[in-house]
Amino acid sequence: MNPLLQVNNLHVAYPSKKFFKPALEIIHGVSLDLAPGETLGIVGESGSGKTTIGRAVLGLAPVTKGSIEFEGKDISHAGKAERRKIARDLQVVFQDPYSSLNPAMAVGDILSEPLVTLGATRADARRRVRTLLDQVGLPHDAADRLPREFSGGQRQRVAIARALGPKPRLIVCDEPVSALDLSTQALVLELLLDIQRETGVAYLFISHDLAVVRHISHRVAVVYRGEIVETGPAEDVTLKPEHPYTQRLLLAAPIPHPVQQERRRAERLRLREQQREQHEQTAVGLSRA
Amino acid sequence: MITYVLRRLGAGIILAVLVTFITYLLLAPSFEKIVRSILGTAATDANVAGRMQKLGYDRPVGVQYLDWLGGVFKGDFGRSLFTSELVGPAVTQRLGVTLSIVLPALAITVLLSIALGVIAAVRGGTIDKISQGVSLIGMLVPSLLLAIVLVLIFAVTLRWLPATGYAAPSSNFDGYLRTAAIPIFVLLIGGVANMAAQVRGAMIGELRKDYVRTLRARGMKNTTVVMQHALRNAVGPAVTVLGLEFLAMLGGALFIEKVFALPGFGTYAFSAALRGDVPVVMGITGFTVLLTVTINLLADLVNGWLNPKARLQ
Amino acid sequence: MSVEQLTADPDLEASARTPLWKRLAGDPQAVITGAILTVIVLVGFLGPFFWTHDPNAADLNYANALPGDPNRPLGGDQNGRDILARLLASTQTSIIAGLIGVIVALLVGVTAGLVGGYLGSKTSAVTEWLFNLVMTFPGILLLILLMPVTGGDYRVTMVIYGVLLSPAIFRIVRGLVIATKGELFVDAARVSGLTDTRILARHILAVIRGPIIVASAFLVGTAIGVQAGLAFLGVGSSAVPSFGSMVSEGFTNLYLRPMQFLWPSITLGLITACLILFGNALRDALEGGQKNVGGRKSRRPASSARPLEPIPSEENALLVVRDLQIGYPASDGTVRPVVKGVNFTLNKGEILGLVGESGSGKSQTAFSILKLLPAEAVILGGSVWFDGINLLEASERDMQKIRGRRIGYIPQEPMSNLDPSYRVGAQLVKSVRATTGVDRKEAKARVMELLERVGIANPERVYRSYPFQISGGMAQRVLIAGAVASRPALLIADEPTTALDVTVQAEILDLLRDLQKDLDLAIILVTHNFGVVADICERIAVMKDGRIVETGEAVDVFDNPASAYTKSLLAAILDESTVRADRPAALAQKQE
């Protein structure tokens, strides 16, 4: 089966703000693939470059090397017109539900604008907006309201509805639940899972939270300092990781139970000692060589 | 710090050169008209061409400008086309009068604005309302009208101060104070109205920041936190507009000089411009721009000292 | 399926959708000044059709004529020209001058601001430099000096002045565009394939038009003032009637006919004052007035005075909070409670987790113990007993002695809680000296020791660094050092690890645990994260909607939650057993 998205040896570098300074490379050769209807979780800490990978797929980050094939076509350097075509199949949900919706536009306009851009008539767009609001569990009168009248979780539902608008095949979800409260987070994740089962959309799901990624992903890739250090089925990577960094990540995430967490903490401290010793040995080995 | 200063200085000099060059370019098309007016209606085309050549106005504009610039670097601003007096000394003398009004007004504005802005932001309530009201009045009343009204009150009706005239502070300080008091006051009212509001806004923003609460949580006195921490961070943006405030006051001084009949460089600039006295016009532009650049540099230095991020990055 | 509520703020909802003109119509300042301005514009432009006297026709019969003459209703000037006709014509001149200046400034400033803000950082740098150049031009002086170029035509002069004004607009637009460009909704529009022009027009202009309209109102006033000033100086043609020339002539004739001076002065003053006041009203309507937070006063209504309440004497208790109530003033004048009667006791050396979702009142409760609530907060009642005194009734001076020395504070966001302008070491030395009064040298020694104690590998370097030169985790260690500098008995930690990566979070929690043991600290840890609670807290208080719904030993609460709310929260946690099991639909179908 052909992958929906295939990223090969991706490099991303931002040009320096100052004149005559070299560009700063954020992503150093990342490869990944994603099947239709699948969720690939990308997990990493701040500054790891996980968000940049998503932005590169969306055409929001400068790709300096490598390719991003979507439905078999390289879109790493797609122009505006081509992007508009891709937009039908590739959409996004961002982290911050406050800044991802234009505060000056009513929700109905926010939802219909991408549809109209893609060639829908106003009447069609309006009908579709109603369906979308139903789909994400918002009342119809939401269309006439401004984003600031909604809570964080509801805004995130609006953002999801916007992404669903053109019936895409892939949605890049960039930390979509990190800004939400615990109970809201669970509801939004449930919504995303329901939608995937109904529509067969694929998710590139970016998060810093191993538990969230474990819950929603079929497969998981771990990003560390601009590279993928480990990929595999969600259960393997998030519960029995092989790479030392993923191990550190897993053991650092506290378990929400005092007794289990005490055990987890002891395990983490043991791993830290172990990795430190290994590190010292390699350092000694290197200095001898 | 030294590279920061040099970089700012370099940028300032480039700016000064460009501003004077653009002014020269704008003036250049009227040179022939000006020469014709000097020679009178009887002059033939040949006469005009001859004088243009003698003044060097027949050369390409770029060459003329470079010639002027070269002179400036040697301290020679040329001579007036009409009175033949040396431009350099003439401008500095007039400028001295204007600056003796503008600089004290600017200094008092800065001090008063910071004091008012801080008090209004920290105390709030009635004091805040009063200072906002004063600011508003300062903004609402055009300084020209304010100047005239003050003359009417203090000079004409009460006869406390002379209505017009000027005494240099170096020769007759008492006389200077008496003649300069109202002009300085008029200038600083507008300045304070503007700047105090800015300081107040910046202070309110700063007092809401997290670090203010954290410092207080460590047992530091509120006044220490306000004066040593919040103020230092709030005053930076206000200092950066110092150059603009200086220019605004210089502009205001031009009107006020006329009301008080001060022998400043406003009237001088006006008559030179009216006649088209190119070297004088250029000299005035050059001096003003240099002054602005210096003030901007000072503001940048203060800001760099206040704000290490601007200095180090 | 949604259990969330629409935002509970009715004023916000109401104001959100009211159109700008409606909000303006409700503001007397806007209505009055707007009406005056409209009348002036109408009179200026329509008046000359009804009062057809030539404003420039001199007639020495009417020289310095007094008001009241049928041919010179407002009198004549020294040349016998009709003052009424001149006032009408001057109004026109002023308005045209103001409009030319603003339109040019808007054309240049908005265009350049959009381009400079939206395009790459290098284009932006170039445009910014260019406008800095324009700003360095000595504006009014230049207009005078350029008389040979303008030929004295006030319209040409105002075009140039418009260019000189444009940096003000440029700066506003560019700043707003850069801020807006970084917003995610612009990224979302780009992903949808919207063209740059459409994004600029629909998304960015929509957000920034408000501030531009406000600035324009002020700039019209400035331009009118400058035009009048120039005419006062004599720049410009004498054939064009203008307030400036009228004031100038009236000024010379002041003692003989003061009215000649007053008429134009009053009209000019009225126009500029109305423009500024209207601009202010416009700004208030668009962004809401800037409220003052003040620093000192914390209002206390009478209901809080309960002098006869006995000091709770629980053995081993360090802090006793009783019936704490905090509210915030709503726009309708009432006080809306956010903490509605909180009770808890903290023992010496105990770590209590104050858990809840956003808006539960957990942070407000924590800050009230330090008495560092925002100035507008109102303590509605209750008491906070610490060291035998009720902190809610302690004076600011007493609190200064308690803060830092007896109660320390660790904030959430490491970077914003350090003063950006002071080196890390200097900030810590200052606070150490504020609480202990030791000299600079000893304070420094103590700070170095502290930095080492909180696990900073290179304390000397961190001591000399500015906050923006160190990492977030490092900054949090510095803040912890600051909190424990004077060995307090109680630490208030407000979401101390929320802004950090999990690996850093684990280290910071280790550090807190260590310090707690060493110093026998009691800690109130405010958090929404049950993992953090499980890691470090001995007891838990769960908060919801301003109340504590459940308190207990950590293990008990996790194993047997008593309240339904705690149960629902615990159920929402994604623990290690929640692994996605179903296969991708496409793959599953293929296998079937």
Side-chain angles (χ1 to χ4, degrees):
Chain A
M1 168 151 219
N2 286 336
L4 178 66
L5 175 77
Q6 182 146 29
V7 175
N8 280 318
N9 191 28
L10 174 72
H11 289 252
V12 176
Y14 281 99
S16 161
K17 284 219 160 65
K18 291 185 177 161
F19 291 87
F20 317 116
K21 280 263 177 77
L24 185 66
E25 195 175 88
I26 307 283
I27 301 296
H28 326 287
V30 157
S31 302
L32 53 88
D33 59 88
L34 181 61
E38 187 188 28
T39 301
L40 175 66
I42 297 189
V43 69
E45 292 188 299
S46 55
S48 62
K50 58 182 188 303
T51 292
T52 310
I53 296 175
R55 292 181 68 85
V57 171
L58 294 165
L60 296 172
V63 175
T64 42
K65 220 168 109 186
S67 67
I68 300 171
E69 281 176 34
F70 183 64
E71 298 175 322
K73 259 195 346 211
D74 187 4
I75 58 163
S76 58
H77 294 89
K80 279 270 163 199
E82 216 176 322
R83 273 279 154 207
R84 202 152 31 244
K85 258 185 246 158
I86 304 164
R88 203 176 287 283
D89 288 331
L90 174 57
Q91 281 292 330
V92 65
V93 176
F94 286 113
Q95 164 178 9
D96 184 351
Y98 292 85
S99 102
S100 73
L101 306 175
N102 189 336
M105 282 165 77
V107 165
D109 293 331
I110 290 174
L111 294 181
S112 60
E113 183 181 50
L115 302 173
V116 174
T117 311
L118 291 171
T121 65
R122 295 243 160 236
D124 283 347
R126 214 168 304 137
R127 261 194 300 280
R128 178 89 180 114
V129 166
R130 284 171 154 269
T131 328
L132 289 170
L133 289 173
D134 281 340
Q135 213 171 347
V136 298
L138 288 174
H140 285 176
D141 69 347
D144 304 323
R145 300 174 174 222
L146 287 173
R148 71 174 121 173
E149 294 173 52
F150 295 91
S151 69
Q154 288 170 325
R155 289 181 202 215
Q156 208 55 312
R157 285 170 194 268
V158 174
I160 292 171
R162 172 175 59 192
L164 287 175
K167 301 186 178 163
R169 301 189 64 198
L170 170 62
I171 299 180
V172 175
C173 303
D174 187 0
E175 301 261 18
V177 296
S178 326
L180 306 179
D181 272 329
L182 196 57
S183 46
T184 321
Q185 166 178 310
L187 288 170
V188 170
L189 284 177
E190 229 30 69
L191 174 68
L192 285 172
L193 283 170
D194 285 348
I195 287 170
Q196 184 167 56
R197 285 179 196 127
E198 272 167 41
T199 64
V201 65
Y203 295 137
L204 190 66
F205 194 98
I206 298 159
S207 178
H208 70 283
D209 189 335
L210 218 49
V212 168
V213 164
R214 184 189 296 126
H215 182 56
I216 197 161
S217 312
H218 298 106
R219 285 188 304 129
V220 172
V222 182
V223 192
Y224 182 56
R225 295 186 178 167
E227 283 170 69
I228 289 183
V229 294
E230 184 165 4
T231 327
E235 193 168 354
D236 296 351
V237 174
T238 62
L239 292 174
K240 292 164 284 193
E242 279 169 12
H243 192 274
Y245 172 70
T246 321
Q247 290 168 353
R248 283 209 297 279
L249 205 59
L250 174 66
L251 293 181
I255 305 178
H257 190 279
V259 181
Q260 291 167 31
Q261 170 57 15
E262 203 172 336
R263 240 177 279 143
R264 160 70 56 95
R265 190 165 60 229
E267 231 178 297
R268 173 169 60 84
L269 295 175
R270 207 159 44 236
L271 178 81
R272 192 170 71 183
E273 278 315 302
Q274 195 187 327
Q275 287 189 350
R276 185 178 293 159
E277 273 165 31
Q278 274 172 5
H279 186 77
E280 272 162 16
Q281 275 168 10
T282 23
V284 172
L286 281 175
S287 66
R288 273 189 197 142
Chain B
M1 191 73 188
I2 291 172
T3 50
Y4 174 79
V5 173
L6 286 178
R7 222 169 48 216
R8 292 285 154 169
L9 189 65
I13 289 173
I14 293 173
L15 216 56
V17 169
L18 267 168
V19 172
T20 47
F21 181 55
I22 293 170
T23 311
Y24 204 88
L25 276 183
L26 287 170
L27 289 171
S30 5
F31 284 171
E32 197 180 321
K33 208 166 73 192
I34 293 164
V35 169
R36 230 171 249 286
S37 76
I38 296 173
L39 294 176
T41 41
T44 61
D45 284 355
N47 286 350
V48 172
R51 181 61 78 87
M52 290 281 283
Q53 196 179 7
K54 202 176 145 223
L55 291 170
Y57 290 163
D58 57 336
R59 297 172 297 167
V61 182
V63 177
Q64 292 177 41
Y65 174 76
L66 285 180
D67 196 31
W68 178 83
L69 193 64
V72 168
F73 274 106
K74 282 178 277 176
D76 172 20
F77 282 82
R79 281 173 186 280
S80 159
L81 291 181
F82 292 84
T83 63
S84 306
E85 65 179 337
L86 277 170
V87 172
V91 174
T92 39
Q93 194 242 321
R94 307 293 184 116
L95 200 59
V97 175
T98 305
L99 287 184
S100 76
I101 307 290
V102 169
L103 289 183
L106 191 65
I108 301 173
T109 297
V110 171
L111 295 178
L112 216 57
S113 301
I114 291 177
L116 271 179
V118 169
I119 293 172
V122 174
R123 299 303 281 270
T126 324
I127 295 180
D128 188 24
K129 293 230 172 66
I130 292 173
S131 83
Q132 273 185 288
V134 171
S135 279
L136 192 61
I137 293 170
M139 283 170 89
L140 291 183
V141 181
S143 59
L144 187 59
L145 298 183
L146 181 68
I148 294 174
V149 170
L150 288 177
V151 168
L152 284 180
I153 296 172
F154 288 101
V156 180
T157 314
L158 296 174
R159 293 185 184 277
W160 289 355
L161 299 165
T164 57
Y166 179 75
S170 51
S171 58
N172 176 0
F173 194 73
D174 185 49
Y176 160 74
L177 280 185
R178 295 169 62 80
T179 49
I182 304 182
I184 291 178
F185 181 74
V186 172
L187 279 185
L188 74 85
I189 283 291
V192 168
N194 209 347
M195 221 175 189
Q198 213 157 23
V199 174
R200 173 183 173 272
M203 259 325 259
I204 288 178
E206 212 59 42
L207 288 174
R208 282 188 185 150
K209 289 201 174 157
D210 289 346
Y211 73 84
V212 169
R213 182 171 57 201
T214 301
L215 288 171
R216 290 184 63 199
R218 289 195 200 136
M220 287 177 73
K221 276 194 201 131
N222 201 22
T223 30
T224 319
V225 176
V226 168
M227 298 313 289
Q228 295 184 11
H229 293 271
L231 179 59
R232 177 172 175 164
N233 288 306
V235 96
V239 168
T240 20
V241 296
L242 210 59
L244 296 179
E245 198 55 57
F246 171 72
L247 277 180
M249 284 197 174
L250 210 58
L254 298 180
F255 304 134
I256 286 163
E257 280 171 11
K258 188 176 173 193
V259 175
F260 296 95
L262 296 175
F265 84 142
T267 33
Y268 187 56
F270 183 66
S271 57
L274 208 58
R275 288 185 299 202
D277 199 336
V278 180
V280 177
V281 169
M282 285 305 293
I284 291 171
T285 316
F287 271 102
T288 322
V289 174
L290 272 182
L291 265 174
T292 316
V293 167
T294 316
I295 298 263
N296 273 337
L297 186 69
L298 282 176
D300 281 342
L301 286 182
V302 174
N303 199 34
W305 171 69
L306 287 171
N307 177 0
K309 203 165 178 179
R311 167 165 36 108
L312 295 173
Q313 285 185 337
Chain C
M1 67 187 285
S2 164
V3 295
E4 302 153 54
Q5 303 280 307
L6 279 177
T7 3
D9 192 341
D11 343 309
L12 196 67
E13 248 176 80
S15 71
R17 271 171 293 153
T18 323
L20 177 62
W21 67 267
K22 261 195 183 165
R23 269 178 280 161
L24 277 180
D27 178 359
Q29 183 175 330
V31 174
I32 295 170
T33 53
I36 296 176
L37 286 172
T38 317
V39 169
I40 289 175
V41 170
L42 287 178
V43 169
F45 280 87
L46 299 179
F49 290 105
F50 299 99
W51 186 255
T52 48
H53 278 69
D54 179 358
N56 287 324
D59 184 341
L60 287 179
N61 288 327
Y62 293 106
N64 293 329
L66 289 166
D69 187 293
N71 265 323
R72 298 286 187 270
L74 297 180
D77 70 3
Q78 47 193 337
N79 297 317
R81 291 175 297 190
D82 178 17
I83 290 184
L84 175 62
R86 288 184 71 72
L87 270 183
L88 293 175
S90 298
T91 307
Q92 260 189 44
T93 310
S94 265
I95 292 164
I96 293 172
L99 288 182
I100 292 179
V102 164
I103 288 168
V104 172
L106 282 177
L107 282 178
V108 178
V110 172
T111 319
L114 287 178
V115 170
Y118 193 69
L119 295 182
S121 56
K122 280 171 194 170
T123 327
S124 174
V126 171
T127 45
E128 196 192 359
W129 188 81
L130 256 170
F131 276 87
N132 278 342
L133 181 79
V134 175
M135 278 178 129
T136 317
F137 276 103
I140 292 163
L141 186 65
L142 192 78
L143 294 179
I144 297 173
L145 295 178
L146 287 180
M147 271 164 60
V149 181
T150 59
D153 186 331
Y154 81 96
R155 284 164 301 191
V156 181
T157 310
M158 289 328 278
V159 169
I160 300 179
Y161 189 61
V163 175
L164 293 174
L165 277 180
S166 64
I169 297 279
F170 167 78
R171 290 206 150 184
I172 298 173
V173 174
R174 179 173 166 277
L176 286 167
V177 170
I178 287 179
T180 313
K181 188 175 72 165
E183 299 279 355
L184 291 171
F185 66 79
V186 172
D187 281 342
R190 269 194 225 154
V191 170
S192 293
L194 263 69
T195 54
D196 279 348
T197 28
R198 223 181 125 77
I199 291 177
L200 276 175
R202 217 181 135 98
H203 287 271
I204 295 187
L205 261 185
V207 175
I208 66 178
R209 67 181 167 208
I212 299 177
I213 294 172
V214 173
S216 301
F218 290 121
L219 289 186
V220 173
T222 316
I224 287 177
V226 163
Q227 192 274 330
L230 288 173
F232 176 80
L233 290 179
V235 179
S237 154
S238 55
V240 179
S242 154
F243 291 130
S245 52
M246 289 182 79
V247 169
S248 168
E249 287 154 13
F251 184 50
T252 55
N253 223 3
L254 194 58
Y255 303 111
L256 192 60
R257 292 280 184 273
M259 287 312 279
Q260 289 180 7
F261 167 77
L262 278 180
W263 288 123
S265 302
I266 289 171
T267 324
L268 175 63
L270 194 64
I271 293 178
T272 29
C274 282
L275 276 168
I276 290 172
L277 290 173
F278 186 72
N280 278 340
L282 206 55
R283 170 155 51 204
D284 287 348
L286 277 165
E287 43 195 72
Q290 191 173 27
K291 283 208 189 115
N292 197 317
V293 289
R296 297 197 179 172
K297 284 178 298 173
S298 77
R299 280 172 282 169
R300 292 177 48 91
S303 71
S304 71
R306 275 190 228 159
L308 291 177
E309 194 184 8
I311 299 174
S313 58
E314 288 167 52
E315 211 180 324
N316 231 357
L318 178 69
L319 178 83
V320 180
V321 176
R322 284 287 167 265
D323 194 31
L324 177 67
Q325 298 168 45
I326 304 167
Y328 280 84
S331 54
D332 58 2
T334 60
V335 174
R336 190 184 311 167
V338 293
V339 175
K340 305 165 185 169
V342 160
N343 291 291
F344 67 87
T345 307
L346 181 72
N347 291 330
K348 286 184 183 120
E350 181 183 50
I351 307 185
L352 172 74
L354 206 52
V355 202
E357 303 208 306
S358 49
S360 61
K362 56 189 193 300
S363 292
Q364 302 297 321
T365 304
F367 283 130
S368 69
I369 297 168
L370 283 158
K371 268 187 105 171
L372 285 176
L373 288 164
E376 58 268 29
V378 186
I379 291 170
L380 297 168
S383 53
V384 175
W385 296 97
F386 178 83
D387 272 359
I389 57 168
N390 182 356
L391 296 183
L392 296 184
E393 272 158 16
S395 70
E396 177 64 22
R397 272 186 62 190
D398 291 338
M399 281 315 292
Q400 266 167 31
K401 282 181 202 137
I402 291 168
R403 288 186 204 125
R405 258 172 271 203
R406 300 286 296 144
I407 308 179
Y409 164 62
I410 305 174
Q412 170 175 1
E413 189 65 52
M415 278 311 169
S416 66
N417 279 289
L418 289 166
D419 183 341
S421 303
Y422 283 94
R423 291 175 200 272
V424 166
Q427 303 190 27
L428 290 177
V429 165
K430 273 180 162 222
S431 27
V432 165
R433 294 191 63 198
T435 45
T436 58
V438 296
D439 66 9
R440 195 173 295 271
K441 212 177 130 202
E442 200 187 326
K444 183 184 171 173
R446 198 177 287 191
V447 166
M448 293 298 291
E449 203 179 300
L450 274 169
L451 289 177
E452 215 174 319
R453 176 66 193 84
V454 296
I456 288 171
N458 192 343
E460 190 66 52
R461 193 185 67 80
V462 170
Y463 186 91
R464 276 183 285 110
S465 297
Y466 285 102
F468 61 89
Q469 294 169 321
I470 62 178
S471 71
M474 195 82 86
Q476 194 59 300
R477 286 176 193 275
V478 169
L479 287 163
I480 292 175
V484 299
S486 308
R487 294 183 156 253
L490 169 63
L491 259 190
I492 309 280
D494 179 29
E495 303 264 10
T497 58
T498 306
L500 307 173
D501 278 325
V502 272
T503 46
V504 185
Q505 166 174 291
E507 290 167 18
I508 294 292
L509 291 175
D510 286 345
L511 171 63
L512 280 179
R513 193 178 298 105
D514 269 14
L515 286 172
Q516 193 269 333
K517 276 192 202 111
D518 279 12
L519 307 174
D520 193 28
L521 280 167
I523 301 179
I524 293 180
L525 190 108
V526 177
T527 184
H528 68 283
N529 186 329
F530 278 96
V532 170
V533 174
D535 186 69
I536 197 167
C537 297
E538 294 156 1
R539 277 202 315 136
I540 305 181
V542 182
M543 280 192 77
K544 186 200 182 203
D545 198 21
R547 291 191 177 89
I548 289 181
V549 295
E550 176 162 10
T551 326
E553 295 297 310
V555 186
D556 296 342
V557 173
F558 274 102
D559 286 339
N560 298 304
S563 91
Y565 179 68
T566 314
K567 276 180 202 154
S568 76
L569 278 184
L570 290 174
I573 295 175
L574 307 167
D575 57 20
E576 309 219 323
S577 60
T578 8
V579 185
R580 179 144 190 195
D582 63 330
R583 312 204 46 198
L587 288 179
Q589 277 163 12
K590 214 176 123 200
Q591 279 197 338
E592 274 161 17

